Amino acid sequence: MRYPIATYRVQLNKDFPFDQATALLPFLQALGISDLYASPVFKARPSSTHGYDVVDSSTVNPELGGPEGFDALAAELSARGMGLLLDIVPNHMAASSDNAWWTDVLENGPSSAYAPFFDVEWDPAKEYGEEKIFLPILGVPYGTALENGEIRLSIGPDGFAIDYHTIHLPVDPSAYETIFEHGPEHRPESAEFRALIDALQRLPGRTAQMWEGIEARRREVPAIKSQLFALFKSDGEVRAFVDGSLTAFNGVKGDPASFDALDTLIARQPYRLAWWHGARERMNYRRFFDVSELIGVRVENPEVFAATHAAILGWVEQGKVTGLRVDHVDGLLAPREYLERLGAMAGSRPYIVVEKILLEDERLPESWPVEGTSGYDFLGVLNGVFIDGGNFERLQDTYSRFTGLSWTFDEAAYEQKRWIVRHLFRGEMFALSLHLELLADSDRHGRDLSPQELRKALAEITACLPVYRTYLEGEQMEERDRECIRRAIGAARAHTPEIGDAVYQFLARVLTADFPRDLSDDGRKAWVRFVMRWQQLTGPVTAKGVEDTTLYVYNRLLSMNEVGARHTAVPLGTFHEFNGHRQRRWPAAMSASSTHDTKRSEDVRARLNVLSELPAEWDRNIFRWSRWNRDKKTQIEGRAIPDRNEEILLYQTLLGVWPLSAGEIPSTIERVKQYIVKATREAKVYSTWIKPNETHERAIHAFLDAIADSRDDNRFLPHFIEFQSRIAFFGALNSLAQVVIKATAPGIPDFYENTALWDLSLVDPDNRRPVDVALRRKLLDDMAGWKPEIAGELLGEWKDGRVKAFVTQRVLGLRSQHPALFLEGEYVPVGVEGMHAESVIAFARTRGDQACVTVAPRFAARLGGAGRFPLGRRAWKDTTLRLHEALDGQRWVNAITGEAVNGNGLAAILSTFPLAVLVPAQ
């Protein structure tokens, strides 16, 4: 297997296609990157900015440069000895008319050859008369949309379509006769036309259960449609007749009866057009989270796996793709089974990692055949070790007094997950509850239980689950998963004491797959199916409840509000324990610090972590700022906007993203305004995506404009800038420390686009702004002349960001020279003693006679004033490394600066530069 040295993530789209990524490669190689890590490359919906809305998993996206552009990129990577790590999306596709497979299902229903590809629960829809797909795409109730003339019948190159604004839905061919029945009285004389109509009438129904009937329909429909529409183009009489039919169907606004024919036609389709509002209760296909435009794919079906992975596996065999990152692995029905199939079918097994969010002390299942996660667990530990745990309670107290909110993070997360279960996933929970009631009816200990209590208890357990999901593989569940479920049930019981113990005892048996001894084979299958469907739902509930809600409403310290982050400070011992386990079990897992999904970039979080070192000053400042800015708020219905929770979020956001150049302030304010819209809607307190409160959002924008105004009477701004400049200085040092730790700790260091220099980005779309290739080319020219001796000069000009690129290049260069040391070498915590021992993170990597020692500062605000880097005895006093016997007495060189180091004292090691990666002197 080929292991990357370091990866660099790019977000490909029409504004940053393959040729731009290719142009970036010289810079990446000079930086020390070995593998380009690319967002999905398959054909996606037009103008997709991310590529996760795939419409064709066999075709390279033409907007990126198509197959030719992909091949050129792969060839250039190969010529440079670099690899390609590709992000793949097995869980879902776009439910869009651009997706030919999905369109075929909409046209033919369960008789479509692609019906087994998509995760549609056909049976629940029978309450509407027959098997239908529920499509919540209408902006108003169906009857209103119909009689307003918003829904129209049209004809195009692929047949008749039902149009709703820009959405085009196919018409079931067996309903074409309905269209022609309402056409002009005089039918075309064409014998061919009449024969085609007769053939359509003889088509088997789309719900035909006999395979022969389904096969006949699949075989005959394309040929009939092809002939019919060829005739439409060539025969004027047929064309006139069809045009007359359309006129008859598309009614006249103000005349409800004129829409009856169209209403009847729509009722004959395999789908049901519906108001979006009903999606919460009536969805009958698995979505990506709550996004109705993305539909779950049944990749557990071998036929579906083969169809969706043929191109990917072909690229692996050809050497064009050297690694795979599996998106949203928890969305799959059976993740381990999928990963085993992926590895087995790939032939020469590529490097494979999974996007898996691990919470707190949760660990990746040992049985998964992968190299590890895509790095959110590392991000959480790395971020947390830079938060001063000794001041944590003071930060909590400040937040509570300022906002009046006394909840803990766990309490907030529970409340938001509970809301998500009740509102966004009401339909999915209802379908699961019906299944659960059937299981209860067939069990002697469950048949007398209240269906209402079963539903309520299941919802509570889902909201209380302490991980994203558990795993039932076959009929087996690991003990750690059983324990998570037991913990969830215990918490749910505490929240709902009115529900009897018998209900929770029954659910404990169901969810942990503790089958009754006399359960039939069919009964066991039904039981397993229920548990696995529940497991597929708990991940989206947690993601929406925590990532997309709690992280926007719990604003104690925003650097902790991150995907995969710990919600307490990480003690140094925990940091070392995490890395030791990683080296022993997952040495090639990815180590991320910024990603396309992070809520804030690594440099923004590094700044905000400094607040944990200055709790008293932070407390004084926000109360002072709030008094000064009180008259800048807008009163709406007796409330001052922004409220205090939004206000503390806004101050922290400005501290994190305030630019290092005054010329960038106006554009930064505009970016923060865009962020505030997203943050307010994700918080779901005053505004939501479904029901935006633009008045509230504009009030916050007005507040932001007022506090950022540079007029003389604005007391806030100069005081804020003075404090922010200190935060920015110490934050920059935190960022540099994170670079050297990430590059030398166990795991494959991953760098997100734009983070080679300072990157003060917020959540997407802010963090998906195009890479400035021209700037990187200029930096590449500078880098060609960099020598270790330039370290001090770059440090003095730290605001331009080149020092971050320099440190990255020096440490990745060392990693490239000694790949086995960093992939296989032992991880050894290094003790520190002396006055500032708590302000140092130190560890060694050893392998045979190879070794290096990483020394990185933290809590630098304790060591000196802003603008003065912690160097020499003035900063470090008597602080000393306590190297173990095999390393003690070694003569060292700082690989970053090239300087020889004498002794173990920090005053000597960090005499001219505030970071060190020590390697034995030659």
Side-chain angles (χ1 to χ4, degrees):
M1 180 185 298
R2 180 190 186 282
Y3 291 102
I5 301 296
T7 61
Y8 185 97
R9 168 78 179 210
V10 291
Q11 290 296 113
L12 298 167
N13 52 60
K14 64 182 180 62
D15 297 321
F16 191 81
F18 293 131
D19 59 356
Q20 290 277 62
T22 303
L24 194 62
L25 295 184
F27 167 72
L28 298 184
Q29 194 165 38
L31 194 64
I33 300 297
S34 66
D35 290 57
L36 185 71
Y37 168 22
S39 60
V41 301
F42 287 119
K43 185 179 180 181
R45 297 184 69 180
S47 299
S48 174
T49 60
H50 47 76
Y52 289 99
D53 45 357
V54 175
V55 299
D56 187 343
S57 56
S58 65
T59 303
V60 177
N61 195 338
E63 292 187 343
L64 305 183
E68 298 80 8
F70 177 78
D71 287 346
L73 173 61
E76 183 63 19
L77 285 165
S78 179
R80 291 178 175 275
M82 301 175 71
L84 176 60
L85 175 62
L86 186 62
D87 196 348
I88 61 173
V89 193
N91 174 69
H92 59 268
M93 297 181 75
S96 160
S97 56
D98 303 295
N99 185 338
W101 292 353
W102 178 240
T103 300
D104 194 84
V105 174
L106 291 179
E107 182 176 83
N108 297 293
S111 68
S112 167
Y114 300 103
F117 281 48
F118 298 104
D119 209 344
V120 178
E121 290 287 343
W122 295 98
D123 288 344
K126 286 184 178 177
E127 63 181 285
Y128 308 124
E130 59 179 316
E131 297 175 313
K132 288 181 179 287
I133 298 169
F134 188 81
L135 291 184
I137 62 173
L138 304 181
V140 294
Y142 168 74
T144 303
L146 181 72
E147 294 178 8
N148 279 344
E150 296 177 61
I151 304 173
R152 310 282 291 176
L153 179 66
S154 69
I155 188 169
D158 297 320
F160 286 109
I162 293 171
D163 299 340
Y164 176 69
H165 299 297
T166 60
I167 299 173
H168 308 288
L169 303 170
V171 172
D172 179 353
S174 62
Y176 281 13
E177 174 59 16
T178 303
I179 298 173
F180 299 140
E181 285 175 355
H182 288 79
E185 184 176 342
H186 177 70
R187 288 202 169 197
E189 297 295 335
S190 169
E192 184 179 0
F193 179 75
R194 293 179 180 276
L196 290 171
I197 298 302
D198 289 341
L200 286 169
Q201 290 179 307
R202 292 194 302 269
L203 282 175
R206 61 174 179 266
T207 57
Q209 298 301 308
M210 294 299 294
W211 183 253
E212 294 80 4
I214 293 177
E215 280 294 285
R217 181 183 172 91
R218 292 176 181 174
R219 183 176 60 253
E220 294 173 20
V221 163
I224 295 172
K225 284 178 59 180
S226 176
Q227 295 174 58
L228 182 62
F229 287 94
L231 194 62
F232 171 76
K233 294 177 182 178
S234 63
D235 189 318
E237 187 183 21
V238 170
R239 185 162 56 252
F241 176 77
V242 171
D243 289 342
S245 299
L246 295 179
T247 301
F249 267 84
N250 294 323
V252 178
K253 188 174 181 180
D255 180 6
S258 66
F259 294 96
D260 289 352
L262 183 56
D263 183 33
T264 300
L265 178 67
I266 293 171
R268 290 195 57 184
Q269 304 313 306
Y271 47 84
R272 180 186 182 204
L273 296 183
W275 185 24
W276 62 263
H277 196 269
R280 298 177 177 183
E281 298 183 12
R282 295 179 174 178
M283 287 304 301
N284 67 321
Y285 62 82
R286 182 171 60 86
R287 301 171 288 174
F288 174 72
F289 296 170
D290 64 331
V291 183
S292 299
E293 292 80 15
L294 298 175
I295 183 170
V297 175
R298 283 186 166 141
V299 75
E300 65 273 12
N301 181 325
E303 178 189 3
V304 177
F305 178 94
T308 54
H309 288 68
I312 296 166
L313 299 178
W315 292 335
V316 170
E317 289 299 315
Q318 296 161 20
K320 295 177 180 178
V321 170
T322 55
L324 300 172
R325 181 261 198 188
V326 180
D327 178 66
H328 191 43
V329 72
D330 275 346
L332 306 180
L333 188 70
R336 188 183 71 184
E337 178 184 298
Y338 166 82
L339 294 168
E340 288 172 346
R341 181 177 290 134
L342 182 65
M345 295 188 69
S348 54
R349 187 167 175 267
Y351 172 79
I352 300 175
V353 292
V354 293
E355 184 207 28
K356 166 66 184 170
I357 313 301
L358 300 169
L359 298 182
E360 298 299 334
D361 57 353
E362 182 188 6
R363 290 181 173 175
L364 191 68
E366 297 276 340
S367 60
W368 286 11
V370 296
E371 300 308 312
T373 72
S374 57
Y376 290 113
D377 48 341
F378 178 86
L379 181 155
V381 171
L382 179 65
N383 183 71
V385 80
F386 283 87
I387 295 172
D388 191 335
N391 296 326
F392 203 69
E393 291 303 319
R394 297 181 69 180
L395 291 173
Q396 179 70 56
D397 177 67
T398 295
Y399 177 61
S400 297
R401 286 188 295 107
F402 186 80
T403 64
L405 300 171
S406 59
W407 56 5
T408 66
F409 182 87
D410 288 342
E411 289 168 344
Y414 162 71
E415 291 296 337
Q416 303 312 317
K417 288 171 68 177
R418 195 163 175 253
W419 187 92
I420 292 295
V421 167
R422 290 181 173 181
H423 293 86
L424 295 190
F425 295 108
R426 190 184 305 168
E428 287 86 345
M429 289 302 300
F430 179 72
L432 280 171
S433 296
L434 293 179
H435 194 167
L436 179 61
E437 289 169 29
L438 293 176
L439 297 182
D441 284 343
S442 63
D443 186 284
R444 68 177 66 168
H445 297 288
R447 64 179 55 130
D448 291 330
L449 300 177
S450 161
Q452 183 178 357
E453 288 193 343
L454 282 171
R455 287 195 295 270
K456 186 174 181 179
L458 181 64
E460 283 293 321
I461 294 169
T462 303
C464 293
L465 194 68
V467 293
Y468 274 66
R469 70 168 279 178
T470 53
Y471 304 96
L472 181 65
E473 302 283 355
E475 294 184 356
Q476 303 301 314
M477 181 177 287
E478 294 188 12
E479 178 57 29
R480 61 180 178 77
D481 287 328
R482 294 177 188 272
E483 177 56 29
C484 283
I485 291 170
R486 286 192 286 265
R487 285 171 56 191
I489 289 173
R493 272 179 163 148
H495 289 300
T496 57
E498 71 278 9
I499 295 179
D501 282 348
V503 171
Y504 281 115
Q505 289 169 4
F506 175 71
L507 278 168
R509 289 176 44 232
V510 170
L511 297 178
T512 60
D514 183 9
F515 302 111
R517 56 181 174 77
D518 58 346
L519 192 63
S520 68
D521 288 345
D522 286 344
R524 293 172 81 93
K525 289 177 183 178
W527 197 305
V528 167
R529 179 67 175 168
F530 169 80
V531 175
M532 296 180 79
R533 297 298 285 184
W534 175 71
Q535 290 174 337
Q536 280 185 292
L537 180 62
T538 60
V541 167
T542 301
K544 294 301 298 182
V546 178
E547 294 176 31
D548 293 346
T549 308
T550 308
L551 298 190
Y552 291 93
V553 296
Y554 191 79
N555 301 323
R556 173 187 54 196
L557 182 62
L558 294 187
S559 55
M560 306 181 79
N561 288 10
E562 194 51 82
V563 181
R566 306 284 180 112
H567 298 291
T568 58
V570 174
L572 193 55
T574 302
F575 172 81
H576 287 314
E577 180 184 355
F578 171 87
N579 282 313
H581 175 263
R582 208 167 197 243
Q583 179 54 41
R584 291 188 298 274
R585 182 59 188 87
W586 307 105
M590 292 179 75
S591 300
S593 47
S594 284
T595 78
H596 59 288
D597 279 334
T598 44
K599 306 301 181 186
R600 294 160 191 85
S601 70
E602 58 196 52
D603 296 332
V604 171
R605 291 196 311 275
R607 285 181 172 187
L608 294 177
N609 283 340
V610 178
L611 295 177
S612 73
E613 303 174 53
L614 306 169
E617 192 169 358
W618 169 237
D619 184 281
R620 289 194 301 271
N621 283 346
I622 59 168
F623 281 98
R624 177 185 294 140
W625 294 344
S626 189
R627 288 196 305 274
W628 289 346
N629 294 330
R630 187 179 302 150
D631 63 348
K632 300 178 179 69
K633 295 187 176 185
T634 300
Q635 294 290 324
I636 299 178
E637 297 179 354
R639 289 184 289 106
I641 305 301
D643 72 10
R644 297 290 282 257
N645 199 28
E646 294 170 322
E647 189 176 2
I648 197 172
L649 176 142
L650 191 56
Y651 292 145
Q652 290 186 66
T653 299
L654 291 174
L655 286 172
V657 304
W658 198 262
L660 293 164
S661 168
E664 296 177 15
I665 293 175
S667 62
T668 299
I669 296 300
E670 291 307 308
R671 287 172 44 224
V672 173
K673 286 182 180 179
Q674 294 173 24
Y675 166 75
I676 285 297
V677 171
K678 178 163 185 169
T680 303
R681 294 180 185 182
E682 295 284 21
K684 305 173 185 65
V685 177
Y686 302 110
S687 185
T688 67
W689 292 108
I690 292 173
K691 192 176 181 180
N693 184 340
E694 295 182 359
T695 300
H696 184 95
E697 294 161 6
R698 283 194 297 268
I700 301 179
H701 289 175
F703 179 80
L704 178 58
D705 284 333
I707 67 175
D709 195 316
S710 59
R711 66 186 187 278
D712 292 341
D713 63 343
N714 184 2
R715 299 173 66 189
F716 163 77
L717 189 59
H719 190 273
F720 167 82
I721 289 176
E722 187 279 328
F723 181 64
Q724 194 280 331
S725 66
R726 293 167 54 212
I727 296 295
F729 176 80
F730 292 123
L733 186 56
N734 280 351
S735 291
L736 296 178
Q738 289 183 10
V739 169
V740 297
I741 292 171
K742 180 172 71 172
T744 57
I748 306 299
D750 172 47
F751 296 81
Y752 184 61
E753 62 181 18
N754 288 321
T755 61
L757 300 170
W758 302 132
D759 177 41
L760 303 175
S761 293
L762 294 164
V763 71
D764 69 280
D766 192 59
N767 66 4
R768 299 182 186 183
R769 288 168 290 160
V771 176
D772 188 337
V773 176
L775 178 62
R776 268 73 187 163
R777 283 175 174 159
K778 183 179 183 302
L779 184 59
L780 177 62
D781 293 338
D782 291 345
M783 291 166 66
W786 283 355
K787 303 295 183 185
E789 296 77 21
I790 203 174
E793 177 185 334
L794 295 177
L795 190 66
E797 300 172 355
W798 67 271
K799 288 187 178 181
D800 66 19
R802 291 182 301 154
V803 67
K804 188 179 182 186
F806 171 78
V807 169
T808 302
Q809 183 194 49
R810 294 297 298 169
V811 184
L812 291 186
L814 177 66
R815 191 178 181 103
S816 298
Q817 295 168 20
H818 305 285
L821 170 64
F822 292 100
L823 185 64
E824 303 170 4
E826 185 180 357
Y827 177 88
V828 183
V830 171
V832 185
E833 54 192 20
M835 181 179 293
H836 295 303
E838 287 190 356
S839 291
V840 183
I841 299 172
F843 56 84
R845 305 299 305 278
T846 63
R847 181 178 181 270
D849 59 356
Q850 294 181 312
C852 79
V853 177
T854 297
V855 183
R858 63 171 185 162
F859 308 155
R862 300 178 180 180
L863 305 176
R868 191 173 66 186
F869 288 100
L871 301 174
R873 183 164 294 279
R874 183 193 66 216
W876 292 106
K877 307 302 187 217
D878 63 344
T879 311
T880 305
L881 299 185
R882 194 169 60 248
L883 297 171
H884 65 75
E885 184 178 349
L887 299 178
D888 198 22
Q890 171 73 54
R891 295 174 57 248
W892 301 101
V893 170
N894 185 348
I896 298 175
T897 65
E899 296 176 304
V901 173
N902 296 312
N904 297 346
L906 269 292
I909 295 171
L910 304 179
S911 61
T912 65
F913 201 78
L915 306 146
V917 178
L918 306 178
V919 295
Q922 299 297 317

